[in-house]
Amino acid sequence: MLKIEGAVEEAIAQMRSRIQFLADIPFVFAGSIRQDMDLLFTSPNSAFFKSAVPIHLGPLTFEEFAPWLIDRFEQGGRTIGQDMMRACFELCQNLPGDIQQLCEALWSSTVAGDEIDRDGLNRALALIYSREQKAYEQALATLKSIHLRVLLALAHQGGATPTSKMFMEAAGVRHSNSITQALARLTSLRLIHKTEHGWYFDNPFFRTWLLSREGLADED
């Protein structure tokens, strides 16, 4: 249906036409693609424009989530220390879904009796890459050289100040408006998103995969 022109808009309009008459039934709309969820309720062209109150669920803190995860590993006979778990949280930007994906890979690449260390983390990442590499390569195939350079600069420098001199030098770009246009393109491709703290990868494992492939820009 997503490939049929106008099908999504029609489906959303049909949903709205039914829901608006169910005054006594509350509805919760949830989704993982931030831009699409925002547009659903903030775009004047959407049938659901201003029809719901947006609630953004932020990251879980290490103190809230880590003890439960560590306990689950221990129940399976695996040991993971606080420092190693904190490294997992930092890699995943404290986002629960990505943390759980990484923990599943850690679990799948170890056996009872193992102590998870940096080598174990690298094996887990390799497992994730093996599952997702085709999607990564397809994403890169859609990028122009400048988009790839900005993406690699984001991976290396972070996205707090993408128009700074240091970032622009890392990306090999002279003009800040070129950076802005590249960020807009990468956002439209759902590779990155913007928060109050800067720009972040939608998929943190795509970022670490890029970092593991030094010289990628030279291959373009």
Side-chain angles (χ1 to χ4, degrees), residues 189-214:
L189 293 172
R190 298 173 180 167
L191 298 179
I192 63 172
H193 63 275
K194 188 178 182 181
T195 74
E196 59 182 324
H197 302 296
W199 296 88
Y200 291 90
F201 279 75
D202 275 23
N203 182 345
F205 309 118
F206 182 37
R207 172 183 173 272
T208 55
W209 179 78
L210 287 172
L211 292 174
S212 72
R213 298 190 61 188
E214 291 296 334

Side-chain angles (χ1 to χ4, degrees), residues 4 12 31-33 36 55 61 66 69 71 86 89 92 102 105 111 113 140-141 161 175 180 189-190 212 215:
I4 301 175
I12 291 173
S32 59
I33 302 176
D36 288 358
I55 300 175
T61 67
L69 292 170
D71 182 64
R86 193 175 295 278
F89 271 62
C92 296
L102 180 55
V111 296
L140 294 183
T161 55
H175 304 291
T180 301
L189 293 172
R190 298 173 180 167
S212 72

